Amino acid sequence: MKFQEVQLTHSSQGHTLHNTQAFSKDGQWIVYDTRNDDAQIGSTPSIEMVNVQTGETKPLYHTEHQTVYGPGVGAATFSPTQDRVLFIHGIRNANADQPYSITRRTGVAVDMDAPQHPIFMDARDITPPFTPGALRGGTHAHSWSGDGQWISFTYNDYVMEQLAKTDPSVADLRMVGIMIPKPVAVAPDSNFENHSGAYFSMVVTDVTERPHPGSDEIDKAFDECWIGKEGYQRADGSRQQRAIAFQGNVRNEADHTVTEIFVVDLPDEITAETREKQLAGTVVSRPEVPQGVLQRRITHSVHGVEGPRHWLRTTPDGSQICYLAKDEKGIVQLFGVSPNGGTPQKITHNEFPVQSPFNIDPSGTWIAYVADNSVFITDLANGTTHRITPRFSDAESPVGAPNWSPDGKMLAYNRFVGTGEQRFLQIFLLSIK
């Protein structure tokens, strides 16, 4: 297997790829935002795409009234089934007093044939009484399910954030949520805080401010992924059609935080409100998880998930959840575990740590990541590993997660090029030859 590297972008700006789903469904376009620094979504105005054959770039969306305080856009993903891009968008009234933040953002989409026409995906309502199907805070890092119908995200609640300023018993705890195609109407307001959405949103993870040491309770749910293209096979042979794997912070017996792997199994019909559950939340409580959602802890390790920040990934058949942890030598390696639980298996056996998030190719054969300042791929079945780029200097090392094309024949990734004020994050393409 031989890869040939091509630099796709060259302009004097950032070109930041999201950690997944950067390719269009036909593999011809790669979407990016114009950050030159991963932390600067609030001050970033543009979403663009570049053609993998010609290097042509096209604008998709540019914010109005952009300042250093927001609204800001970033973390763009392509739908696997539509010519549609979804990204984080800060609340439109952002200013010095109310800047972009984790509780002040939403998911917006644009279609390739209708640039600059935003589709607000998740509704937002921070004015009580709150609206079922709308959320009261900020959605982030949106990911499409394998069939392109449902969307997952991490979420922070604005109402709880504000309450925590006067009530120390509560906190804004990160959760994982989903949205499904069903319009939600919210009364408009004059300052753009609230808006309607094309999708019905809800949180699907249970969190608590004070997890009991040694229990499966968590105070943070984050960095999730959909399990399989069509779910996974349960231990009894039946099929769970929709499920999400996520990282959850528990407290161990010594009352120290450890990050473990969790799964939530989702019912096919999930939006029905019950008297016991308040999907919209109240002025003193966060939105609750819908009836029928089952949350399970998968790993019980000593040190838990470790290494650089990363999102979980699963094989296309859903049989393996991949994550980073340290091996017996203290080296960060890739591990895999079944969504049914069991003993985790080490995937990589490198003498140097994995440095980045990672992605699995569409066939479920290879996992791509950055290590030793190079892009690597490892065979999930047997651990065979290939270094597929040269070893770069620290200044030019690949950044972020390599993204596979839908046919598995290309990998896109970021590297910095240039020096000083002319040092910009560019997109590179590796094609199998």
Side-chain angles (χ1 to χ4, degrees):
M1 181 180 295
K2 185 178 180 181
F3 283 82
Q4 179 179 340
E5 183 189 62
V6 175
Q7 184 176 339
L8 271 186
T9 60
H10 300 268
S11 59
S12 298
Q13 64 174 33
H15 305 80
T16 295
L17 298 173
H18 191 39
N19 64 74
T20 190
Q21 297 174 325
F23 280 87
S24 60
K25 63 182 177 62
D26 62 4
Q28 292 302 298
W29 295 90
I30 297 172
V31 67
Y32 59 92
D33 63 66
T34 54
R35 278 177 294 170
N36 205 39
D37 179 334
D38 185 59
Q40 299 301 318
I41 289 180
S43 58
T44 299
S46 299
I47 303 294
E48 301 176 354
M49 62 182 182
V50 60
N51 188 274
V52 301
Q53 302 294 332
T54 66
E56 174 192 11
T57 61
K58 288 186 177 181
L60 288 170
Y61 185 78
H62 192 92
T63 58
E64 296 181 359
H65 313 298
Q66 180 67 43
T67 73
V68 295
Y69 305 109
V73 290
T77 63
F78 261 115
S79 164
T81 58
Q82 305 176 69
D83 290 327
R84 173 172 287 185
V85 166
L86 172 61
F87 50 91
I88 297 170
H89 194 304
I91 303 306
R92 290 168 289 172
N93 64 1
N95 55 36
D97 295 325
Q98 298 183 108
Y100 170 92
S101 75
I102 61 175
T103 64
R104 289 179 47 76
R105 54 192 179 184
T106 191
V108 167
V110 293
D111 292 331
M112 285 176 60
D113 61 359
Q116 207 55 36
H117 287 80
I119 303 165
F120 286 81
M121 300 289 274
D122 50 306
R124 187 173 194 265
D125 184 4
I126 65 170
T127 307
F130 307 111
T131 305
L135 293 174
R136 309 109 48 94
T139 66
H140 159 263
H142 310 89
S143 295
W144 304 84
S145 61
D147 61 6
Q149 295 299 303
W150 293 18
I151 296 163
S152 72
F153 50 83
T154 46
Y155 172 72
N156 288 83
D157 193 90
Y158 176 83
V159 174
M160 297 302 290
E161 178 191 53
Q162 299 306 304
L163 179 61
K165 294 177 179 179
T166 57
D167 184 351
S169 70
V170 301
D172 165 34
L173 304 179
R174 176 155 289 191
M175 297 171 277
V176 172
I178 64 168
M179 56 178 101
I180 65 177
K182 180 182 177 183
V184 175
V186 173
D189 57 15
S190 59
N191 66 356
F192 299 110
E193 277 287 352
N194 298 337
H195 57 257
S196 298
Y199 278 56
F200 189 105
S201 301
M202 67 212 86
V203 300
V204 293
T205 54
D206 273 314
V207 294
T208 179
E209 280 82 358
R210 289 163 291 279
H212 287 89
S215 75
D216 294 345
E217 296 174 342
I218 60 175
D219 59 11
K220 183 180 180 181
F222 59 106
D223 296 350
E224 84 293 348
C225 72
W226 290 98
I227 299 181
K229 290 192 69 174
E230 298 177 346
Y232 69 95
Q233 189 175 47
R234 300 188 189 95
D236 64 5
S238 62
R239 190 132 198 111
Q240 173 64 40
Q241 293 295 327
R242 296 188 186 274
I244 290 173
F246 67 93
Q247 300 180 46
N249 283 353
V250 303
R251 305 290 289 184
N252 64 14
E253 295 287 356
D255 205 19
H256 297 149
T257 296
V258 177
T259 300
E260 298 284 11
I261 309 300
F262 285 74
V263 165
V264 281
D265 295 327
L266 306 174
D268 291 335
E269 298 295 330
I270 197 171
T271 62
E273 182 99 39
T274 68
R275 284 179 296 176
E276 293 78 21
K277 298 289 184 181
Q278 293 288 333
L279 295 187
T282 72
V283 293
V284 294
S285 65
R286 63 181 57 88
E288 293 188 46
V289 174
Q291 188 174 21
V293 173
L294 175 63
Q295 180 169 311
R296 297 180 288 114
R297 181 174 173 177
I298 301 300
T299 58
H300 294 76
S301 54
V302 175
H303 301 292
V305 176
E306 296 183 286
R309 184 185 182 184
H310 60 282
W311 283 255
L312 304 182
R313 295 287 175 256
T314 75
T315 50
D317 66 0
S319 63
Q320 193 173 31
I321 302 166
C322 296
Y323 64 98
L324 296 179
K326 290 182 179 178
D327 65 9
E328 63 281 357
K329 298 179 181 179
I331 299 173
V332 175
Q333 307 279 9
L334 277 156
F335 287 79
V337 66
S338 166
N340 296 310
T343 303
Q345 303 297 314
K346 188 160 72 167
I347 296 169
T348 57
H349 300 78
N350 299 321
E351 294 300 315
F352 36 78
V354 176
Q355 296 172 309
S356 75
F358 48 86
N359 279 297
I360 298 171
D361 83 306
S363 73
T365 303
W366 300 100
I367 190 165
Y369 54 94
V370 177
D372 195 35
N373 288 6
S374 304
V375 178
F376 282 78
I377 57 173
T378 294
D379 189 314
L380 284 162
N382 58 32
T384 300
T385 295
H386 302 276
R387 186 192 299 261
I388 61 173
T389 68
R391 187 183 188 279
F392 297 101
S393 68
D394 289 348
E396 296 181 330
S397 175
V399 176
N403 271 258
W404 291 95
S405 62
D407 63 4
K409 295 182 178 180
M410 293 181 286
L411 275 168
Y413 68 95
N414 280 139
R415 278 203 297 116
F416 279 104
V417 176
T419 59
E421 293 184 357
Q422 292 301 307
R423 185 171 185 260
F424 295 105
L425 204 57
Q426 305 290 356
I427 297 173
F428 288 79
L429 193 66
L430 292 168
S431 300
I432 297 177
K433 299 296 182 183

PDB file of all heavy atoms in Angstrom, residues 369-398:
ATOM      1  N   TYR A 369      -4.287   7.539  12.352  1.00  0.00           N
ATOM      2  CA  TYR A 369      -3.993   8.413  13.484  1.00  0.00           C
ATOM      3  C   TYR A 369      -2.614   9.033  13.270  1.00  0.00           C
ATOM      4  O   TYR A 369      -1.886   8.671  12.338  1.00  0.00           O
ATOM      5  CB  TYR A 369      -4.019   7.621  14.794  1.00  0.00           C
ATOM      6  CG  TYR A 369      -3.106   6.404  14.792  1.00  0.00           C
ATOM      7  CD1 TYR A 369      -1.805   6.473  15.295  1.00  0.00           C
ATOM      8  CD2 TYR A 369      -3.541   5.192  14.257  1.00  0.00           C
ATOM      9  CE1 TYR A 369      -0.966   5.376  15.274  1.00  0.00           C
ATOM     10  CE2 TYR A 369      -2.707   4.084  14.229  1.00  0.00           C
ATOM     11  CZ  TYR A 369      -1.419   4.171  14.733  1.00  0.00           C
ATOM     12  OH  TYR A 369      -0.584   3.090  14.698  1.00  0.00           O
ATOM     13  N   VAL A 370      -2.263   9.962  14.140  1.00  0.00           N
ATOM     14  CA  VAL A 370      -0.944  10.588  14.109  1.00  0.00           C
ATOM     15  C   VAL A 370      -0.129  10.057  15.287  1.00  0.00           C
ATOM     16  O   VAL A 370      -0.619   9.981  16.415  1.00  0.00           O
ATOM     17  CB  VAL A 370      -1.054  12.120  14.188  1.00  0.00           C
ATOM     18  CG1 VAL A 370       0.343  12.759  14.230  1.00  0.00           C
ATOM     19  CG2 VAL A 370      -1.848  12.670  13.011  1.00  0.00           C
ATOM     20  N   ALA A 371       1.130   9.676  15.007  1.00  0.00           N
ATOM     21  CA  ALA A 371       2.069   9.256  16.040  1.00  0.00           C
ATOM     22  C   ALA A 371       3.481   9.528  15.526  1.00  0.00           C
ATOM     23  O   ALA A 371       3.732   9.470  14.315  1.00  0.00           O
ATOM     24  CB  ALA A 371       1.898   7.779  16.374  1.00  0.00           C
ATOM     25  N   ASP A 372       4.382   9.820  16.431  1.00  0.00           N
ATOM     26  CA  ASP A 372       5.772  10.093  16.051  1.00  0.00           C
ATOM     27  C   ASP A 372       5.849  11.093  14.896  1.00  0.00           C
ATOM     28  O   ASP A 372       6.641  10.950  13.965  1.00  0.00           O
ATOM     29  CB  ASP A 372       6.484   8.787  15.674  1.00  0.00           C
ATOM     30  CG  ASP A 372       8.000   8.935  15.615  1.00  0.00           C
ATOM     31  OD1 ASP A 372       8.553   9.699  16.420  1.00  0.00           O
ATOM     32  OD2 ASP A 372       8.616   8.293  14.742  1.00  0.00           O
ATOM     33  N   ASN A 373       4.976  12.111  14.949  1.00  0.00           N
ATOM     34  CA  ASN A 373       4.938  13.199  13.955  1.00  0.00           C
ATOM     35  C   ASN A 373       4.679  12.706  12.531  1.00  0.00           C
ATOM     36  O   ASN A 373       5.110  13.338  11.554  1.00  0.00           O
ATOM     37  CB  ASN A 373       6.233  14.011  13.990  1.00  0.00           C
ATOM     38  CG  ASN A 373       6.351  14.876  15.230  1.00  0.00           C
ATOM     39  OD1 ASN A 373       5.511  14.801  16.135  1.00  0.00           O
ATOM     40  ND2 ASN A 373       7.376  15.693  15.295  1.00  0.00           N
ATOM     41  N   SER A 374       3.965  11.599  12.397  1.00  0.00           N
ATOM     42  CA  SER A 374       3.615  11.028  11.097  1.00  0.00           C
ATOM     43  C   SER A 374       2.173  10.549  11.120  1.00  0.00           C
ATOM     44  O   SER A 374       1.592  10.339  12.184  1.00  0.00           O
ATOM     45  CB  SER A 374       4.508   9.824  10.755  1.00  0.00           C
ATOM     46  OG  SER A 374       5.866  10.156  10.794  1.00  0.00           O
ATOM     47  N   VAL A 375       1.602  10.343   9.946  1.00  0.00           N
ATOM     48  CA  VAL A 375       0.312   9.665   9.844  1.00  0.00           C
ATOM     49  C   VAL A 375       0.573   8.175   9.747  1.00  0.00           C
ATOM     50  O   VAL A 375       1.409   7.720   8.946  1.00  0.00           O
ATOM     51  CB  VAL A 375      -0.490  10.148   8.626  1.00  0.00           C
ATOM     52  CG1 VAL A 375      -1.815   9.372   8.516  1.00  0.00           C
ATOM     53  CG2 VAL A 375      -0.780  11.648   8.723  1.00  0.00           C
ATOM     54  N   PHE A 376      -0.135   7.405  10.563  1.00  0.00           N
ATOM     55  CA  PHE A 376      -0.037   5.946  10.572  1.00  0.00           C
ATOM     56  C   PHE A 376      -1.399   5.342  10.275  1.00  0.00           C
ATOM     57  O   PHE A 376      -2.437   5.956  10.544  1.00  0.00           O
ATOM     58  CB  PHE A 376       0.413   5.439  11.951  1.00  0.00           C
ATOM     59  CG  PHE A 376       1.871   5.569  12.236  1.00  0.00           C
ATOM     60  CD1 PHE A 376       2.412   6.790  12.603  1.00  0.00           C
ATOM     61  CD2 PHE A 376       2.705   4.472  12.138  1.00  0.00           C
ATOM     62  CE1 PHE A 376       3.761   6.918  12.887  1.00  0.00           C
ATOM     63  CE2 PHE A 376       4.063   4.579  12.418  1.00  0.00           C
ATOM     64  CZ  PHE A 376       4.587   5.802  12.794  1.00  0.00           C
ATOM     65  N   ILE A 377      -1.389   4.114   9.768  1.00  0.00           N
ATOM     66  CA  ILE A 377      -2.591   3.291   9.722  1.00  0.00           C
ATOM     67  C   ILE A 377      -2.259   1.931  10.320  1.00  0.00           C
ATOM     68  O   ILE A 377      -1.158   1.408  10.141  1.00  0.00           O
ATOM     69  CB  ILE A 377      -3.172   3.131   8.298  1.00  0.00           C
ATOM     70  CG1 ILE A 377      -2.139   2.549   7.328  1.00  0.00           C
ATOM     71  CG2 ILE A 377      -3.726   4.450   7.785  1.00  0.00           C
ATOM     72  CD1 ILE A 377      -2.717   2.207   5.960  1.00  0.00           C
ATOM     73  N   THR A 378      -3.202   1.379  11.070  1.00  0.00           N
ATOM     74  CA  THR A 378      -3.033   0.070  11.693  1.00  0.00           C
ATOM     75  C   THR A 378      -4.198  -0.819  11.322  1.00  0.00           C
ATOM     76  O   THR A 378      -5.361  -0.389  11.345  1.00  0.00           O
ATOM     77  CB  THR A 378      -2.934   0.206  13.226  1.00  0.00           C
ATOM     78  OG1 THR A 378      -1.742   0.909  13.562  1.00  0.00           O
ATOM     79  CG2 THR A 378      -2.919  -1.160  13.904  1.00  0.00           C
ATOM     80  N   ASP A 379      -3.902  -2.068  10.971  1.00  0.00           N
ATOM     81  CA  ASP A 379      -4.927  -3.067  10.671  1.00  0.00           C
ATOM     82  C   ASP A 379      -5.606  -3.462  11.982  1.00  0.00           C
ATOM     83  O   ASP A 379      -4.957  -3.946  12.915  1.00  0.00           O
ATOM     84  CB  ASP A 379      -4.275  -4.287  10.009  1.00  0.00           C
ATOM     85  CG  ASP A 379      -5.283  -5.278   9.462  1.00  0.00           C
ATOM     86  OD1 ASP A 379      -6.252  -5.597  10.172  1.00  0.00           O
ATOM     87  OD2 ASP A 379      -5.105  -5.752   8.322  1.00  0.00           O
ATOM     88  N   LEU A 380      -6.918  -3.255  12.048  1.00  0.00           N
ATOM     89  CA  LEU A 380      -7.654  -3.534  13.277  1.00  0.00           C
ATOM     90  C   LEU A 380      -7.649  -5.016  13.634  1.00  0.00           C
ATOM     91  O   LEU A 380      -7.756  -5.378  14.812  1.00  0.00           O
ATOM     92  CB  LEU A 380      -9.094  -3.034  13.154  1.00  0.00           C
ATOM     93  CG  LEU A 380      -9.292  -1.527  13.279  1.00  0.00           C
ATOM     94  CD1 LEU A 380     -10.642  -1.109  12.719  1.00  0.00           C
ATOM     95  CD2 LEU A 380      -9.174  -1.091  14.730  1.00  0.00           C
ATOM     96  N   ALA A 381      -7.520  -5.876  12.639  1.00  0.00           N
ATOM     97  CA  ALA A 381      -7.616  -7.311  12.890  1.00  0.00           C
ATOM     98  C   ALA A 381      -6.325  -7.893  13.446  1.00  0.00           C
ATOM     99  O   ALA A 381      -6.358  -8.766  14.327  1.00  0.00           O
ATOM    100  CB  ALA A 381      -8.008  -8.044  11.609  1.00  0.00           C
ATOM    101  N   ASN A 382      -5.187  -7.411  12.940  1.00  0.00           N
ATOM    102  CA  ASN A 382      -3.928  -8.057  13.335  1.00  0.00           C
ATOM    103  C   ASN A 382      -2.857  -7.106  13.857  1.00  0.00           C
ATOM    104  O   ASN A 382      -1.758  -7.540  14.217  1.00  0.00           O
ATOM    105  CB  ASN A 382      -3.359  -8.868  12.167  1.00  0.00           C
ATOM    106  CG  ASN A 382      -3.107  -8.008  10.931  1.00  0.00           C
ATOM    107  OD1 ASN A 382      -2.778  -6.836  11.034  1.00  0.00           O
ATOM    108  ND2 ASN A 382      -3.266  -8.605   9.744  1.00  0.00           N
ATOM    109  N   GLY A 383      -3.145  -5.808  13.909  1.00  0.00           N
ATOM    110  CA  GLY A 383      -2.192  -4.855  14.458  1.00  0.00           C
ATOM    111  C   GLY A 383      -1.070  -4.438  13.538  1.00  0.00           C
ATOM    112  O   GLY A 383      -0.185  -3.675  13.939  1.00  0.00           O
ATOM    113  N   THR A 384      -1.065  -4.930  12.281  1.00  0.00           N
ATOM    114  CA  THR A 384      -0.044  -4.509  11.326  1.00  0.00           C
ATOM    115  C   THR A 384      -0.116  -3.002  11.126  1.00  0.00           C
ATOM    116  O   THR A 384      -1.193  -2.456  10.869  1.00  0.00           O
ATOM    117  CB  THR A 384      -0.236  -5.213   9.975  1.00  0.00           C
ATOM    118  OG1 THR A 384      -0.145  -6.627  10.182  1.00  0.00           O
ATOM    119  CG2 THR A 384       0.818  -4.777   8.975  1.00  0.00           C
ATOM    120  N   THR A 385       1.017  -2.333  11.247  1.00  0.00           N
ATOM    121  CA  THR A 385       1.055  -0.875  11.249  1.00  0.00           C
ATOM    122  C   THR A 385       1.974  -0.348  10.154  1.00  0.00           C
ATOM    123  O   THR A 385       3.052  -0.903   9.917  1.00  0.00           O
ATOM    124  CB  THR A 385       1.528  -0.358  12.620  1.00  0.00           C
ATOM    125  OG1 THR A 385       0.547  -0.727  13.612  1.00  0.00           O
ATOM    126  CG2 THR A 385       1.696   1.145  12.632  1.00  0.00           C
ATOM    127  N   HIS A 386       1.531   0.726   9.496  1.00  0.00           N
ATOM    128  CA  HIS A 386       2.322   1.353   8.430  1.00  0.00           C
ATOM    129  C   HIS A 386       2.433   2.843   8.701  1.00  0.00           C
ATOM    130  O   HIS A 386       1.436   3.513   8.978  1.00  0.00           O
ATOM    131  CB  HIS A 386       1.649   1.160   7.068  1.00  0.00           C
ATOM    132  CG  HIS A 386       1.427  -0.270   6.693  1.00  0.00           C
ATOM    133  ND1 HIS A 386       2.398  -1.057   6.100  1.00  0.00           N
ATOM    134  CD2 HIS A 386       0.337  -1.067   6.839  1.00  0.00           C
ATOM    135  CE1 HIS A 386       1.916  -2.269   5.880  1.00  0.00           C
ATOM    136  NE2 HIS A 386       0.668  -2.301   6.328  1.00  0.00           N
ATOM    137  N   ARG A 387       3.642   3.370   8.585  1.00  0.00           N
ATOM    138  CA  ARG A 387       3.864   4.811   8.582  1.00  0.00           C
ATOM    139  C   ARG A 387       3.671   5.264   7.133  1.00  0.00           C
ATOM    140  O   ARG A 387       4.415   4.831   6.240  1.00  0.00           O
ATOM    141  CB  ARG A 387       5.275   5.139   9.053  1.00  0.00           C
ATOM    142  CG  ARG A 387       5.538   6.644   9.226  1.00  0.00           C
ATOM    143  CD  ARG A 387       7.037   6.925   9.404  1.00  0.00           C
ATOM    144  NE  ARG A 387       7.608   6.297  10.577  1.00  0.00           N
ATOM    145  CZ  ARG A 387       7.831   6.917  11.747  1.00  0.00           C
ATOM    146  NH1 ARG A 387       7.505   8.197  11.888  1.00  0.00           N
ATOM    147  NH2 ARG A 387       8.376   6.269  12.765  1.00  0.00           N
ATOM    148  N   ILE A 388       2.677   6.132   6.877  1.00  0.00           N
ATOM    149  CA  ILE A 388       2.329   6.454   5.489  1.00  0.00           C
ATOM    150  C   ILE A 388       2.690   7.879   5.088  1.00  0.00           C
ATOM    151  O   ILE A 388       2.363   8.305   3.975  1.00  0.00           O
ATOM    152  CB  ILE A 388       0.838   6.172   5.204  1.00  0.00           C
ATOM    153  CG1 ILE A 388      -0.064   7.012   6.099  1.00  0.00           C
ATOM    154  CG2 ILE A 388       0.547   4.679   5.367  1.00  0.00           C
ATOM    155  CD1 ILE A 388      -1.553   6.884   5.738  1.00  0.00           C
ATOM    156  N   THR A 389       3.336   8.614   5.983  1.00  0.00           N
ATOM    157  CA  THR A 389       3.936   9.901   5.616  1.00  0.00           C
ATOM    158  C   THR A 389       5.352   9.928   6.162  1.00  0.00           C
ATOM    159  O   THR A 389       5.710   9.116   7.032  1.00  0.00           O
ATOM    160  CB  THR A 389       3.177  11.109   6.216  1.00  0.00           C
ATOM    161  OG1 THR A 389       3.347  11.109   7.633  1.00  0.00           O
ATOM    162  CG2 THR A 389       1.705  11.071   5.846  1.00  0.00           C
ATOM    163  N   PRO A 390       6.171  10.856   5.708  1.00  0.00           N
ATOM    164  CA  PRO A 390       7.463  11.039   6.355  1.00  0.00           C
ATOM    165  C   PRO A 390       7.268  11.471   7.806  1.00  0.00           C
ATOM    166  O   PRO A 390       6.186  11.888   8.211  1.00  0.00           O
ATOM    167  CB  PRO A 390       8.121  12.166   5.541  1.00  0.00           C
ATOM    168  CG  PRO A 390       7.367  12.216   4.258  1.00  0.00           C
ATOM    169  CD  PRO A 390       5.975  11.768   4.572  1.00  0.00           C
ATOM    170  N   ARG A 391       8.341  11.402   8.576  1.00  0.00           N
ATOM    171  CA  ARG A 391       8.314  11.946   9.933  1.00  0.00           C
ATOM    172  C   ARG A 391       8.627  13.438   9.842  1.00  0.00           C
ATOM    173  O   ARG A 391       9.700  13.828   9.392  1.00  0.00           O
ATOM    174  CB  ARG A 391       9.333  11.253  10.835  1.00  0.00           C
ATOM    175  CG  ARG A 391       9.211  11.676  12.288  1.00  0.00           C
ATOM    176  CD  ARG A 391      10.283  11.039  13.166  1.00  0.00           C
ATOM    177  NE  ARG A 391      10.012  11.322  14.566  1.00  0.00           N
ATOM    178  CZ  ARG A 391      10.312  12.452  15.197  1.00  0.00           C
ATOM    179  NH1 ARG A 391      10.895  13.439  14.525  1.00  0.00           N
ATOM    180  NH2 ARG A 391      10.014  12.610  16.473  1.00  0.00           N
ATOM    181  N   PHE A 392       7.655  14.260  10.228  1.00  0.00           N
ATOM    182  CA  PHE A 392       7.799  15.707  10.110  1.00  0.00           C
ATOM    183  C   PHE A 392       8.427  16.290  11.381  1.00  0.00           C
ATOM    184  O   PHE A 392       8.440  15.653  12.441  1.00  0.00           O
ATOM    185  CB  PHE A 392       6.437  16.357   9.866  1.00  0.00           C
ATOM    186  CG  PHE A 392       5.783  15.933   8.579  1.00  0.00           C
ATOM    187  CD1 PHE A 392       4.766  14.980   8.581  1.00  0.00           C
ATOM    188  CD2 PHE A 392       6.184  16.465   7.369  1.00  0.00           C
ATOM    189  CE1 PHE A 392       4.151  14.586   7.405  1.00  0.00           C
ATOM    190  CE2 PHE A 392       5.578  16.076   6.179  1.00  0.00           C
ATOM    191  CZ  PHE A 392       4.557  15.143   6.195  1.00  0.00           C
ATOM    192  N   SER A 393       8.897  17.516  11.268  1.00  0.00           N
ATOM    193  CA  SER A 393       9.374  18.242  12.436  1.00  0.00           C
ATOM    194  C   SER A 393       8.201  18.551  13.356  1.00  0.00           C
ATOM    195  O   SER A 393       7.029  18.465  12.954  1.00  0.00           O
ATOM    196  CB  SER A 393      10.058  19.535  12.013  1.00  0.00           C
ATOM    197  OG  SER A 393       9.104  20.442  11.458  1.00  0.00           O
ATOM    198  N   ASP A 394       8.495  18.946  14.587  1.00  0.00           N
ATOM    199  CA  ASP A 394       7.423  19.309  15.504  1.00  0.00           C
ATOM    200  C   ASP A 394       6.567  20.440  14.936  1.00  0.00           C
ATOM    201  O   ASP A 394       5.340  20.443  15.083  1.00  0.00           O
ATOM    202  CB  ASP A 394       8.001  19.741  16.854  1.00  0.00           C
ATOM    203  CG  ASP A 394       8.584  18.588  17.642  1.00  0.00           C
ATOM    204  OD1 ASP A 394       8.341  17.425  17.258  1.00  0.00           O
ATOM    205  OD2 ASP A 394       9.292  18.849  18.638  1.00  0.00           O
ATOM    206  N   ALA A 395       7.186  21.404  14.276  1.00  0.00           N
ATOM    207  CA  ALA A 395       6.460  22.554  13.738  1.00  0.00           C
ATOM    208  C   ALA A 395       5.550  22.173  12.583  1.00  0.00           C
ATOM    209  O   ALA A 395       4.545  22.841  12.331  1.00  0.00           O
ATOM    210  CB  ALA A 395       7.440  23.636  13.286  1.00  0.00           C
ATOM    211  N   GLU A 396       5.887  21.109  11.850  1.00  0.00           N
ATOM    212  CA  GLU A 396       5.115  20.715  10.666  1.00  0.00           C
ATOM    213  C   GLU A 396       4.356  19.416  10.858  1.00  0.00           C
ATOM    214  O   GLU A 396       3.792  18.869   9.903  1.00  0.00           O
ATOM    215  CB  GLU A 396       6.061  20.582   9.463  1.00  0.00           C
ATOM    216  CG  GLU A 396       6.729  21.885   9.053  1.00  0.00           C
ATOM    217  CD  GLU A 396       7.643  21.705   7.851  1.00  0.00           C
ATOM    218  OE1 GLU A 396       8.202  20.598   7.691  1.00  0.00           O
ATOM    219  OE2 GLU A 396       7.795  22.665   7.084  1.00  0.00           O
ATOM    220  N   SER A 397       4.302  18.913  12.078  1.00  0.00           N
ATOM    221  CA  SER A 397       3.649  17.635  12.341  1.00  0.00           C
ATOM    222  C   SER A 397       2.158  17.698  12.016  1.00  0.00           C
ATOM    223  O   SER A 397       1.518  18.740  12.193  1.00  0.00           O
ATOM    224  CB  SER A 397       3.827  17.262  13.809  1.00  0.00           C
ATOM    225  OG  SER A 397       3.107  16.089  14.133  1.00  0.00           O
ATOM    226  N   PRO A 398       1.565  16.593  11.519  1.00  0.00           N
ATOM    227  CA  PRO A 398       0.115  16.560  11.305  1.00  0.00           C
ATOM    228  C   PRO A 398      -0.657  16.911  12.566  1.00  0.00           C
ATOM    229  O   PRO A 398      -0.242  16.581  13.689  1.00  0.00           O
ATOM    230  CB  PRO A 398      -0.136  15.108  10.888  1.00  0.00           C
ATOM    231  CG  PRO A 398       1.161  14.671  10.283  1.00  0.00           C
ATOM    232  CD  PRO A 398       2.223  15.355  11.094  1.00  0.00           C
TER     233      PRO A 398
END
